[in-house]
Amino acid sequence: MSDISDKRIMILAANGFEQSELMVPKQKIEEAGAKVDIVSLKVGEIRGWQNGDWGDKIDVDRTIDAVTVDDYDALVIPGGQMNPDFLRADEDAVAFVREFFDSKKPLAAICHAPWVLVEAGIAKGRTMTSYHSMATDVKNAGAKWVDKEVVVDEGLITSRNPNDLDAFCAKIIEEVREGRHEDRKVA
Protein backbone atom coordinates (compact mmCIF):
# COMPACT_ATOMS: atom_id res chain seq x y z
CA MET A 1 0.00 0.00 0.00
CA SER A 2 1.42 3.38 -0.95
CA ASP A 3 2.26 6.10 1.51
CA ILE A 4 0.25 9.34 1.49
CA SER A 5 2.82 11.54 3.22
CA ASP A 6 3.33 13.50 0.00
CA LYS A 7 -0.40 14.26 -0.34
CA ARG A 8 -2.30 17.42 0.54
CA ILE A 9 -5.98 17.20 1.43
CA MET A 10 -8.50 20.03 1.58
CA ILE A 11 -11.33 20.07 4.09
CA LEU A 12 -13.88 22.60 2.85
CA ALA A 13 -16.02 23.93 5.68
CA ALA A 14 -17.91 26.94 7.00
CA ASN A 15 -19.47 27.82 10.34
CA GLY A 16 -21.74 25.14 11.73
CA PHE A 17 -19.77 22.13 10.53
CA GLU A 18 -20.57 18.95 12.44
CA GLN A 19 -17.61 18.94 14.84
CA SER A 20 -16.75 15.24 14.62
CA GLU A 21 -17.16 15.18 10.84
CA LEU A 22 -14.33 17.68 10.44
CA MET A 23 -12.08 16.81 13.38
CA VAL A 24 -12.04 13.01 12.99
CA PRO A 25 -11.18 12.97 9.26
CA LYS A 26 -8.55 15.68 9.85
CA GLN A 27 -6.94 13.60 12.59
CA LYS A 28 -7.09 10.29 10.70
CA ILE A 29 -5.74 11.78 7.47
CA GLU A 30 -2.90 13.50 9.32
CA GLU A 31 -2.12 10.25 11.15
CA ALA A 32 -1.86 8.59 7.72
CA GLY A 33 0.79 11.17 6.84
CA ALA A 34 -0.98 13.69 4.62
CA LYS A 35 -1.10 17.46 5.12
CA VAL A 36 -4.59 18.84 5.73
CA ASP A 37 -5.72 22.40 5.04
CA ILE A 38 -8.95 23.87 6.37
CA VAL A 39 -10.39 25.97 3.56
CA SER A 40 -13.39 28.22 4.11
CA LEU A 41 -15.29 31.17 2.70
CA LYS A 42 -13.56 33.82 4.84
CA VAL A 43 -10.29 34.27 6.73
CA GLY A 44 -10.07 33.74 10.48
CA GLU A 45 -11.74 30.83 12.17
CA ILE A 46 -14.89 28.76 11.84
CA ARG A 47 -16.91 27.16 14.59
CA GLY A 48 -18.27 23.66 14.82
CA TRP A 49 -21.63 22.38 15.99
CA GLN A 50 -21.71 19.65 18.61
CA ASN A 51 -24.52 18.08 20.62
CA GLY A 52 -27.06 20.77 19.72
CA ASP A 53 -24.85 23.75 20.48
CA TRP A 54 -21.79 25.59 19.23
CA GLY A 55 -18.59 23.58 19.50
CA ASP A 56 -14.91 24.32 19.06
CA LYS A 57 -13.35 26.85 16.74
CA ILE A 58 -10.69 25.94 14.19
CA ASP A 59 -8.38 28.22 12.25
CA VAL A 60 -8.90 28.64 8.51
CA ASP A 61 -5.70 27.93 6.60
CA ARG A 62 -6.83 29.30 3.24
CA THR A 63 -9.92 30.77 1.63
CA ILE A 64 -11.76 29.26 -1.32
CA ASP A 65 -10.77 32.16 -3.56
CA ALA A 66 -7.06 31.55 -2.83
CA VAL A 67 -6.84 27.86 -3.79
CA THR A 68 -6.76 25.84 -6.99
CA VAL A 69 -7.70 22.25 -7.72
CA ASP A 70 -4.04 21.56 -8.51
CA ASP A 71 -3.14 22.38 -4.88
CA TYR A 72 -4.89 19.27 -3.53
CA ASP A 73 -5.03 15.50 -3.94
CA ALA A 74 -8.49 15.09 -2.36
CA LEU A 75 -11.39 17.17 -1.08
CA VAL A 76 -13.43 16.39 2.05
CA ILE A 77 -16.68 18.18 2.95
CA PRO A 78 -18.02 17.66 6.48
CA GLY A 79 -21.72 17.81 7.19
CA GLY A 80 -23.93 19.38 9.78
CA GLN A 81 -26.97 21.30 8.61
CA MET A 82 -25.52 24.82 8.53
CA ASN A 83 -22.11 24.14 6.99
CA PRO A 84 -23.25 22.62 3.67
CA ASP A 85 -26.07 25.14 3.43
CA PHE A 86 -23.55 28.01 3.61
CA LEU A 87 -21.27 26.25 1.13
CA ARG A 88 -23.97 25.48 -1.44
CA ALA A 89 -25.07 29.13 -1.36
CA ASP A 90 -21.55 30.31 -2.23
CA GLU A 91 -20.87 30.41 -5.98
CA ASP A 92 -17.09 30.07 -5.58
CA ALA A 93 -17.42 27.02 -3.33
CA VAL A 94 -19.89 25.32 -5.67
CA ALA A 95 -17.75 26.05 -8.73
CA PHE A 96 -14.65 24.72 -6.94
CA VAL A 97 -16.41 21.48 -5.95
CA ARG A 98 -17.57 21.00 -9.55
CA GLU A 99 -14.07 21.64 -10.90
CA PHE A 100 -12.57 19.31 -8.30
CA PHE A 101 -14.97 16.54 -9.28
CA ASP A 102 -14.06 17.05 -12.94
CA SER A 103 -10.37 16.62 -12.03
CA LYS A 104 -11.20 12.97 -11.20
CA LYS A 105 -9.51 13.21 -7.79
CA PRO A 106 -11.16 11.72 -4.66
CA LEU A 107 -14.01 13.82 -3.29
CA ALA A 108 -15.71 12.93 0.00
CA ALA A 109 -18.94 14.25 1.59
CA ILE A 110 -20.69 13.10 4.76
CA CYS A 111 -24.10 13.67 6.35
CA HIS A 112 -25.72 16.80 4.82
CA ALA A 113 -22.63 17.65 2.73
CA PRO A 114 -24.04 15.92 -0.38
CA TRP A 115 -26.21 19.06 -0.67
CA VAL A 116 -23.05 20.71 -2.02
CA LEU A 117 -22.60 17.88 -4.54
CA VAL A 118 -26.23 18.28 -5.62
CA GLU A 119 -25.79 22.04 -6.02
CA ALA A 120 -22.62 21.46 -8.07
CA GLY A 121 -24.59 19.22 -10.43
CA ILE A 122 -22.50 16.11 -9.88
CA ALA A 123 -25.01 13.76 -8.22
CA LYS A 124 -26.84 12.69 -11.38
CA GLY A 125 -26.12 9.10 -12.33
CA ARG A 126 -24.10 8.42 -9.16
CA THR A 127 -24.73 5.97 -6.33
CA MET A 128 -24.57 7.90 -3.07
CA THR A 129 -25.65 7.98 0.54
CA SER A 130 -26.30 10.87 2.93
CA TYR A 131 -28.06 11.69 6.14
CA HIS A 132 -31.42 9.91 5.91
CA SER A 133 -33.51 13.10 5.90
CA MET A 134 -32.02 14.24 2.62
CA ALA A 135 -32.40 10.99 0.69
CA THR A 136 -35.17 12.58 -1.38
CA ASP A 137 -32.91 15.54 -2.26
CA VAL A 138 -30.22 13.15 -3.50
CA LYS A 139 -32.73 11.07 -5.47
CA ASN A 140 -34.31 14.19 -6.99
CA ALA A 141 -30.84 15.24 -8.18
CA GLY A 142 -30.67 12.02 -10.20
CA ALA A 143 -28.56 9.85 -7.92
CA LYS A 144 -29.33 6.37 -6.66
CA TRP A 145 -29.52 6.73 -2.86
CA VAL A 146 -28.55 3.74 -0.70
CA ASP A 147 -28.54 3.29 3.07
CA LYS A 148 -24.93 2.21 3.73
CA GLU A 149 -22.23 3.52 6.04
CA VAL A 150 -19.99 4.44 3.11
CA VAL A 151 -20.52 4.42 -0.66
CA VAL A 152 -17.79 4.91 -3.25
CA ASP A 153 -18.64 5.68 -6.87
CA GLU A 154 -15.48 6.21 -8.94
CA GLY A 155 -13.72 8.11 -6.17
CA LEU A 156 -16.84 9.96 -4.98
CA ILE A 157 -17.14 8.95 -1.32
CA THR A 158 -20.31 9.55 0.70
CA SER A 159 -21.38 8.57 4.22
CA ARG A 160 -24.49 9.03 6.36
CA ASN A 161 -23.55 10.42 9.77
CA PRO A 162 -20.90 10.54 12.55
CA ASN A 163 -21.46 6.84 13.34
CA ASP A 164 -19.92 6.09 9.93
CA LEU A 165 -16.70 8.05 10.47
CA ASP A 166 -14.38 5.04 10.79
CA ALA A 167 -15.50 3.64 7.43
CA PHE A 168 -15.60 7.12 5.85
CA CYS A 169 -12.05 7.99 6.92
CA ALA A 170 -10.68 4.59 5.88
CA LYS A 171 -12.21 5.02 2.40
CA ILE A 172 -10.82 8.55 2.05
CA ILE A 173 -7.32 7.29 2.82
CA GLU A 174 -7.76 4.30 0.49
CA GLU A 175 -8.97 6.50 -2.36
CA VAL A 176 -6.13 8.99 -1.86
CA ARG A 177 -3.70 6.08 -2.15
CA GLU A 178 -5.41 5.00 -5.38
CA GLY A 179 -5.25 8.52 -6.88
CA ARG A 180 -7.27 9.85 -9.79
CA HIS A 181 -10.18 7.92 -11.24
CA GLU A 182 -9.40 8.48 -14.90
CA ASP A 183 -12.54 6.61 -16.02
CA ARG A 184 -14.87 8.84 -13.99
CA LYS A 185 -17.49 10.45 -16.16
CA VAL A 186 -17.51 14.17 -15.50
CA ALA A 187 -20.79 15.94 -14.90
Side-chain angles (χ1 to χ4, degrees), residues 111-138:
C111 195
H112 287 78
W115 269 338
V116 184
L117 308 180
V118 167
E119 190 66 30
I122 59 180
K124 187 175 183 178
R126 299 278 158 208
T127 300
M128 298 170 54
T129 195
S130 66
Y131 193 70
H132 66 87
S133 69
M134 55 174 293
T136 301
D137 296 340
V138 173

Side-chain angles (χ1 to χ4, degrees), residues 98 101-102 120-123 126 185-187:
R98 173 67 178 263
F101 178 80
D102 289 348
I122 59 180
R126 299 278 158 208
K185 295 177 193 89
V186 294

Side-chain angles (χ1 to χ4, degrees), residues 17-152:
F17 61 86
E18 177 64 38
Q19 181 114 359
S20 62
E21 293 173 357
L22 185 149
M23 302 307 273
V24 173
K26 180 180 186 305
Q27 176 188 349
K28 299 279 188 186
I29 293 166
E30 288 175 341
E31 287 172 356
K35 167 133 177 51
V36 175
D37 285 343
I38 305 300
V39 176
S40 192
L41 308 176
K42 298 177 184 173
V43 297
E45 55 190 21
I46 52 176
R47 194 164 187 187
W49 189 259
Q50 183 175 13
N51 300 322
D53 202 354
W54 290 105
D56 296 336
K57 294 178 181 178
I58 190 166
D59 290 333
V60 172
D61 296 307
R62 302 175 81 189
T63 55
I64 194 68
D65 60 347
V67 297
T68 69
V69 169
D70 291 339
D71 295 337
Y72 296 97
D73 298 290
L75 169 60
V76 178
I77 308 171
Q81 289 179 314
M82 289 179 272
N83 171 59
D85 204 33
F86 288 132
L87 294 176
R88 71 180 176 161
D90 185 274
E91 290 179 13
D92 291 337
V94 171
F96 186 91
V97 170
R98 173 67 178 263
E99 184 181 354
F100 203 92
F101 178 80
D102 289 348
S103 77
K104 303 181 178 188
K105 297 176 187 178
L107 195 166
I110 187 168
C111 195
H112 287 78
W115 269 338
V116 184
L117 308 180
V118 167
E119 190 66 30
I122 59 180
K124 187 175 183 178
R126 299 278 158 208
T127 300
M128 298 170 54
T129 195
S130 66
Y131 193 70
H132 66 87
S133 69
M134 55 174 293
T136 301
D137 296 340
V138 173
K139 291 174 192 174
N140 286 342
K144 176 184 177 190
W145 187 88
V146 294
D147 187 12
K148 293 184 178 177
E149 67 180 355
V150 66
V151 175
V152 181

